[in-house]
Amino acid sequence: MREDDDRRGEAFVGAAPAPEQTVAAVASGFRDEAGRVTAALTRRFGDYCLADDATQDALLAALERWPKDGIPERPGGWLTTVATRRALNRVNRDARYEGKLAFLGRPIETGGDDRLRLIFTCCHPALARDAQVALTLRSVCGFTTTEIARAFLASEAAVAQRIVRAKRKIRQAGIPYRVPAGRELGDRLEEVLAVLYLMFNEGHLSTGHAPPFRRNLSEEALWLAELVSRLLPADPEPIGLVALMKLHLARADARFDASGQMVLLQDQDRSLWRRDLTSDAIRLIERAAAAGEPGPYQIEAAIAACHAEAASFINTDWPQIVALYDMLIQLAPSPVAQMNRAIALRYVEGPRRALDELNSLEADLTGYHLFHAARGEMLIELGEVELARAARERALRLSRNAAERHLMFRRLFESMS
Amino acid sequence: MKYVLLFCGTAQDQAAFDALNPDDLRARYSEVGQWFARNRNRLGPSSQLQGPETATTVRFRVEGKPVVHDGLFLEAKEIVGGYCEVNVADLDEALEMAKSWPGGGTVEIRPVVDQR
């Protein structure tokens, strides 16, 4: 197909704008449209992998054309037209689709939002976590392979390989394109939310050094969580996750100092916290709670809200936080939740009790850097300098994130001097 | 789509199975029997395999004749105890069957190569 074909039938608006603005507009256009285009094509061709390839082709064509020609009046229509043509080209080349050509006369339905099916397919538990994240960013948010590689500081070849392998598995293992029903929905939704939260945290931990051109994973994850909560309005957990993300984002400006160093919660300048995001989140928590089905994300959001509403670290409602952790542990037992409960317990019953609780988790958390960091804090307060230093050394050795490593190093240095 | 479910277990799973008393063994077989009855419409050929002590392995080398030896392939971490073929719509349906398997251990789901 000649490149010019892509322009036919689509009106362009005015003269070409400045390249940087275009790139930003192109990226946000992708986020709003890519998932819809992939979903519509999957419905039409009955093949997610084909639809994904064709949409990706269209996105790359847009990245090339739009900075020169300007943004089309209807970016979604442009992408759909180009992606459909690319898909038809692929189908014509591929004998596997011979029997299916008859279906292609049907017009693309525009009603309804099919992106939920897309999300459940990309986050299917039969795919590895890193593949789930990469596919979701690509198919639902319209990331190119290059952008995914940049976001995860991975090589493009590695990301491309991961996507190829995941799509081969979807096709060969018969992973369906559907929203699970009944009892299955709960488990599968948990998986989706876990993928989105991981994506969020990946962006959140690296915000200190994110170059401005990099699409922010936290914002994409928040956008996805809001989409899921809109498409599954009966379930309060997606709302809980949206609230939790907003509460984290509310503190984002205070988490790093001017030199890019990470600042702990107790040392953060609370005047930098975004009140608007906090009150948004609290409204969401109340809306979710009205459903009367508490879940892990709602409770974690409630814990984050306790911190957000406290005038200072020391005036935080710690007994309430411990009570919320008790609820969380009852609903979703995990050593990390128990660890966080122990840390909160420090401000209710003192460092000795907290340390005892932490020590009881040693077997499960011995490979987790924050466990040793927390032990280090308790040991320092108890005057156990030698032991504290050993714990901080382990914390440093186990942490991989650059900003966290820096902080751990500073702590270790303090306990040496 | 056609899949094979491979019913596997570790050496410990096998030892625990071997140590079942007759009543527990009967109960286990009855649960497994119910599972097969419930799923009969989507099941193809299925077999339980004799224990690992009955296995004989033939190993091909780059050169020379194949070597026959007693027992399982040494590097296998899990022992296949049985298998069944299933005909279902998609992986989700196969997963639903595997999750309801009463025999414990692990169930590996493998799509079958389409020969058409």
Side-chain angles (χ1 to χ4, degrees), chain A residues 1 48 52 73 83 119 121 136-137 156 161-162 173 188 190 207 210 242 247 250 255 301 318-319 348 388 390 393 403:
Chain A
M1 183 177 68
Y48 159 75
D52 177 77
E73 209 169 323
I119 293 171
T121 303
T136 306
L137 284 171
E156 251 185 87
Q161 176 71 22
R162 197 183 295 167
R188 294 282 306 278
E190 230 171 77
T207 41
V242 171
L247 287 161
R255 291 181 70 240
W318 294 106
V348 181
E393 245 176 61

Side-chain angles (χ1 to χ4, degrees), chain A residues 145-262:
Chain A
T145 307
T146 316
E147 284 177 311
I148 298 172
R150 213 180 269 158
F152 287 95
L153 307 174
S155 81
E156 251 185 87
V159 171
Q161 176 71 22
R162 197 183 295 167
I163 290 168
V164 166
R165 212 180 296 140
K167 284 168 61 181
R168 196 180 298 146
K169 175 148 190 199
I170 288 178
R171 184 175 270 158
Q172 293 181 341
I175 290 177
Y177 180 67
R178 88 155 84 81
V179 176
R183 265 188 316 166
E184 191 67 15
L185 180 62
D187 288 349
R188 294 282 306 278
L189 180 60
E190 230 171 77
E191 187 89 11
V192 168
L193 299 182
V195 170
L196 302 190
Y197 196 37
L198 177 124
M199 197 187 285
F200 180 87
N201 284 324
E202 193 67 36
H204 197 50
L205 281 174
S206 60
T207 41
H209 304 285
F213 56 83
R214 195 168 122 179
R215 279 174 77 181
N216 186 294
L217 284 179
S218 303
E219 280 169 25
E220 298 296 325
L222 174 62
W223 178 83
L224 281 164
E226 284 176 328
L227 178 65
V228 172
S229 75
R230 258 201 321 278
L231 298 177
L232 280 175
D235 201 301
E237 274 293 88
I239 304 173
L241 180 59
V242 171
L244 178 59
M245 288 176 173
K246 287 195 171 204
L247 287 161
H248 283 315
L249 287 178
R251 300 205 292 259
D253 291 342
R255 291 181 70 240
F256 293 91
D257 66 17
S259 58
Q261 309 256 3
M262 191 182 256

Side-chain angles (χ1 to χ4, degrees), chain A residues 124 126 171-176 178 184 187-188, chain B residues 1 3 89-93 95-96 99 111-112:
Chain A
H124 197 283
R171 184 175 270 158
Q172 293 181 341
I175 290 177
R178 88 155 84 81
E184 191 67 15
D187 288 349
R188 294 282 306 278
Chain B
M1 280 188 63
Y3 299 84
D90 53 39
L91 183 62
D92 281 0
E93 199 181 335
L95 274 168
E96 176 225 310
K99 282 183 181 171
V112 167

